[in-house]
Amino acid sequence: MKILYKTLLICTSLGYFNLSLASESAVNMDKTSASCRCLPTSPCWPTDKQWQEFSKQLDGKLVRPEQLTLACQANINSKECKSQLVNIKNPFYVQSQPGGTQTQGWLNAWSNTPSVYAVQAKTTQDIARAVNFAREHNLRIVVKGGGHDYLGRSSAPDSLLVWTHDMREVKYIPNFVPTGAPEHESAIPVITAEAGTRWIEAYNVATNQNHLYVQGGGCASVGAAGGFIQGGGFGSLSKKFGTGAAGIVQVEIVTANGNTLIANKYQNSDLFWAIRGGGGGTYGIVSKVTLKLHQLPTSFGIYSAQISAKNDDSFKVLIKKFLDYYAHQLNNEHWGEQFAFNSKNQLNVFMVYQSLSTNEANKVWKDFISWINQNKSDFTITTKNIQVPPADMWNYSYWKQHYPDMVTANTMPGALKGEYWWSSNTGEASQYIYTYQSWWMPGALLSNDKDLTKLSTAFFNASRAGNVSIHINKGLAGASEDAITSTKETSTNPSVFNADALVLMGAGSDKVINGVKGREPNYKVAQTAVNTISVAMKELIDLAPNSGTYANEADYFQKNWQQDFWGDNYSRLLSIKQKYDPQGLFYCHHCVGSEFWDDKGMCKININSTYLH
């Protein structure tokens, strides 16, 4: 029987490609002595008067979030529903609503259920007031900026949401010195971005206005100060400039006691280390982030190719040949983005490059293209190589003029000038995930013919299940010395330094609508996709079982998530979590310290953790 399901679209890098508890060996649950947060049905829940008094204290607003497709739940054929279904395909619209998240949910894991109330924060003081109110009333607190979180960490029922969308000021500072630095500290150019800033706004100030480079995410609507960068954050050129977390120079953060701290390498340095790669939403709420700027690359280009093999045997040869070619010619600081194998016996390449001319980039590919041409009976190939002025990397006007099909403008009322997203990511807005799994591919698997053969076979087998994407910019083997040095100062899983790339597989649908009869997930189709992809990924994981993966783009049901996400850094991260948030006010799924709570983050559980000192 042929299995049909929609391939999951993931907004990563430039974005052109398309319920687990803690480890049973680490925890021993006992809910009989649990201490639980307050529910709206409980006597401890704040009264209407208390909510009103709290609202008056805010510089922003206290609002009630709603589902973005509420009208569809009443009448799917109504004019209001049809309008909502159009709106939710606009990522900027989704994040401009307190009840919106980029992903609607994950099969058997979570669904986007709005908080009871949301603080529409306008200032850092609003964040602190919300933290204090949540702590004093024992409320579940959730943090959301851009809402681009696949694991449901920006949404929770029965909670108070701290929504930072309105805090989007970005400033360019040409000569910045961290607070508390010694007098001899050299000043560097930076931008400071408030908690709700999207990368499109950060890039506008850094690149469009000042012709400098900041290492951020590929999707323009992803938050620049939230979970992406605090969880590590890989951009297209990570092999040159390091992770997003490595670019953080300083943060302003509200901790669980309501205090606002400045953290950098000179003060609160333990917290600073944890925030840079240890995951967002768990040590406190970052209200402002300061990011290092770099000189723009001397050139920026995009190289794409599609190679089709005539049959399975030819495709197997192609996979091995290309993996070997990648290891020797492309795994370096000049190249980023991804390639993918699929069930149509195709290799799809979408890579970006920097500081190479068009001729130099073509020369890198010359031998591989020659090999393809020498075997024309087995392969067909199409290629494209374009160069973009580095200062126009994020300039909508340039893309619209030269490559209009690649971009979609945000035409919402109140949209900023030049606000856009990559057209190929439209399908990701408000999609529903069936499964999404990832694993780092260590360079050792490409270092000798025996392991390369095993890896090639595993990739071929995986491609029978669907698209297998290999994101080369999400592994730092082959990266520049500066990228490695700066990233080693962060709390990102050390396995990233041995990884040539991150392998990803997923499936989902953008036709599911939360709470609407007839638009629920097709569980039979969805579960078949989950099972098929799980088998495919297991074969790849078994080749490097200790490799680990990237915490922001991983399976919701990751079993050994502490080790897989943070490796040997986890114990230190947990001790920092306990220092700054001893009562566990901040909780999110598979975040540091979450093993002390049930899977909803509502009740404490007694455990014996292997990570406690």
Side-chain angles (χ1 to χ4, degrees):
M1 183 179 72
K2 190 174 183 180
I3 300 168
L4 297 176
Y5 52 86
K6 189 176 181 73
T7 299
L8 182 69
L9 299 174
I10 291 297
C11 188
T12 57
S13 303
L14 273 181
Y16 292 101
F17 267 110
N18 294 346
L19 256 247
S20 171
L21 297 175
S23 169
E24 289 298 326
S25 63
V27 299
N28 183 13
M29 301 178 204
D30 176 13
K31 285 196 176 182
T32 60
S33 59
S35 173
C36 297
R37 306 190 202 271
C38 193
L39 293 170
T41 54
S42 305
C44 58
W45 187 260
T47 64
D48 289 345
K49 183 178 179 180
Q50 288 172 318
W51 283 111
Q52 292 169 6
E53 290 175 349
F54 172 51
S55 178
K56 293 176 182 178
Q57 299 171 12
L58 299 173
D59 298 314
K61 301 176 183 177
L62 185 68
V63 297
R64 281 187 174 270
E66 292 184 346
Q67 288 276 9
L68 302 193
T69 53
L70 202 59
C72 299
Q73 296 178 20
N75 182 359
I76 195 170
N77 296 313
S78 67
K79 182 178 178 180
E80 293 83 358
C81 173
K82 292 177 181 178
S83 176
Q84 289 178 348
L85 294 182
V86 171
N87 288 338
I88 64 173
K89 300 310 296 177
N90 181 331
F92 290 102
Y93 170 81
V94 170
Q95 66 183 203
S96 71
Q97 307 299 311
T101 52
Q102 178 78 355
T103 301
Q104 287 198 64
W106 187 307
L107 187 73
N108 298 324
W110 68 275
S111 62
N112 177 18
T113 306
S115 301
V116 182
Y117 284 100
V119 172
Q120 189 171 341
K122 190 175 181 180
T123 62
T124 299
Q125 289 73 24
D126 277 350
I127 296 175
R129 290 164 185 144
V131 167
N132 287 334
F133 189 81
R135 186 186 64 253
E136 291 164 5
H137 293 276
N138 193 23
L139 305 180
R140 169 86 156 86
I141 194 168
V142 181
V143 186
K144 182 173 68 179
H148 272 262
D149 185 89
Y150 306 132
L151 300 175
R153 294 174 294 194
S154 300
S155 171
D158 304 327
S159 66
L160 173 63
L161 172 66
V162 179
W163 185 40
T164 63
H165 176 73
D166 287 351
M167 298 176 63
R168 301 208 305 273
E169 183 179 56
V170 183
K171 291 182 179 180
Y172 167 60
I173 303 174
N175 298 292
F176 178 81
V177 177
T179 303
E183 292 184 3
H184 60 77
E185 180 79 1
S186 299
I188 60 171
V190 301
I191 57 169
T192 62
E194 287 189 321
T197 302
R198 290 82 58 88
W199 282 114
I200 189 65
E201 293 149 345
Y203 295 144
N204 183 50
V205 174
T207 305
N208 295 348
Q209 295 178 15
N210 292 287
H211 294 181
L212 294 168
Y213 181 86
V214 60
Q215 183 61 74
C219 278
S221 58
V222 168
F228 165 84
I229 200 165
Q230 293 176 51
F234 295 93
S236 299
L237 302 180
S238 292
K239 284 188 187 286
K240 170 62 177 177
F241 297 104
T243 61
I248 300 176
V249 178
Q250 181 169 291
V251 298
E252 177 184 270
I253 181 170
V254 178
T255 53
N257 58 10
N259 292 338
T260 301
L261 304 179
I262 299 297
N264 55 43
K265 66 180 180 179
Y266 301 109
Q267 57 185 54
N268 301 307
S269 57
D270 55 348
L271 182 60
F272 183 60
W273 178 81
I275 290 168
R276 297 199 304 162
T282 189
Y283 312 100
I285 303 177
V286 171
S287 51
K288 185 182 296 183
V289 63
T290 301
L291 302 171
K292 181 180 180 180
L293 298 178
H294 307 266
Q295 294 300 308
L296 280 174
T298 56
S299 65
F300 177 73
I302 299 171
Y303 190 97
S304 60
Q306 184 178 86
I307 302 99
S308 298
K310 74 171 184 179
N311 55 38
D312 289 357
D313 288 339
S314 297
F315 193 45
K316 291 174 183 177
V317 173
L318 175 64
I319 291 173
K320 184 175 180 181
K321 176 69 176 181
F322 185 75
L323 289 174
D324 184 59
Y325 200 83
Y326 164 69
H328 291 93
Q329 300 296 329
L330 298 164
N331 187 25
N332 56 63
E333 65 183 73
H334 292 289
W335 296 88
E337 282 303 327
Q338 56 203 266
F339 58 89
F341 306 114
N342 66 34
S343 59
K344 297 178 181 179
N345 289 342
Q346 292 175 334
L347 162 62
N348 289 307
V349 175
F350 184 90
M351 290 189 184
V352 301
Y353 59 89
Q354 58 85 26
S355 298
L356 296 174
S357 68
T358 301
N359 289 337
E360 287 171 332
N362 285 334
K363 188 176 181 180
V364 172
W365 286 87
K366 182 180 178 181
D367 289 345
F368 181 74
I369 302 300
S370 296
W371 178 80
I372 293 291
N373 290 332
Q374 290 166 12
N375 295 275
K376 286 184 177 180
S377 61
D378 291 322
F379 309 108
T380 60
I381 184 171
T382 58
T383 64
K384 189 175 183 179
N385 186 357
I386 65 173
Q387 284 237 340
V388 177
D392 289 319
M393 292 167 69
W394 295 96
N395 181 356
Y396 172 75
S397 297
Y398 178 87
W399 291 103
K400 183 64 176 177
Q401 179 181 352
H402 298 280
Y403 307 102
D405 293 342
M406 294 180 71
V407 293
T408 300
N410 180 18
T411 57
M412 280 174 45
L416 299 177
K417 182 180 179 181
E419 202 166 75
Y420 72 94
W421 67 90
W422 304 114
S423 299
S424 58
N425 289 132
T426 301
E428 187 196 356
S430 298
Q431 73 171 342
Y432 184 88
I433 297 175
Y434 298 159
T435 186
Y436 186 52
Q437 301 180 36
S438 65
W439 203 248
W440 271 317
M441 180 179 73
L445 292 179
L446 287 80
S447 63
N448 60 77
D449 187 72
K450 180 179 179 181
D451 286 332
L452 184 60
T453 299
K454 290 180 180 179
L455 181 62
S456 302
T457 300
F459 273 130
F460 174 80
N461 293 340
S463 73
R464 306 303 89 180
N467 199 61
V468 191
S469 294
I470 297 92
H471 292 228
I472 68 175
N473 53 296
K474 293 173 184 174
L476 294 185
S480 69
E481 184 178 345
D482 286 346
I484 293 172
T485 300
S486 62
T487 304
K488 281 186 175 180
E489 295 175 356
T490 74
S491 50
T492 303
N493 190 338
S495 289
V496 71
F497 302 111
N498 301 318
D500 278 358
L502 184 71
V503 180
L504 303 106
M505 294 189 73
S509 172
D510 61 353
K511 306 303 181 185
V512 173
I513 308 175
N514 274 336
V516 176
K517 188 176 181 180
R519 297 295 291 271
E520 305 94 340
N522 184 323
Y523 282 94
K524 183 177 181 180
V525 170
Q527 193 58 56
T528 298
V530 173
N531 296 342
T532 304
I533 287 174
S534 295
V535 170
M537 283 298 297
K538 184 179 185 302
E539 184 175 353
L540 287 161
I541 291 170
D542 285 347
L543 294 177
N546 298 317
S547 189
T549 188
Y550 174 38
N552 281 348
E553 297 183 57
D555 191 355
Y556 185 95
F557 302 100
Q558 200 83 26
K559 290 182 178 180
N560 300 311
W561 57 271
Q562 295 100 326
Q563 182 65 33
D564 291 346
F565 292 170
W566 288 288
D568 293 342
N569 288 337
Y570 191 79
S571 292
R572 183 182 173 193
L573 287 169
L574 183 57
S575 67
I576 294 170
K577 164 71 171 176
Q578 292 176 317
K579 174 182 175 180
Y580 288 93
D581 185 18
Q583 300 304 314
L585 178 67
F586 302 113
Y587 166 91
C588 48
H589 178 72
H590 285 181
C591 293
V592 173
S594 62
E595 62 263 52
F596 296 99
W597 294 84
D598 66 13
D599 61 351
K600 301 298 182 184
M602 297 302 291
C603 292
K604 286 184 177 179
I605 56 178
N606 292 333
I607 69 167
N608 297 314
S609 175
T610 59
Y611 297 99
L612 288 173
H613 292 294

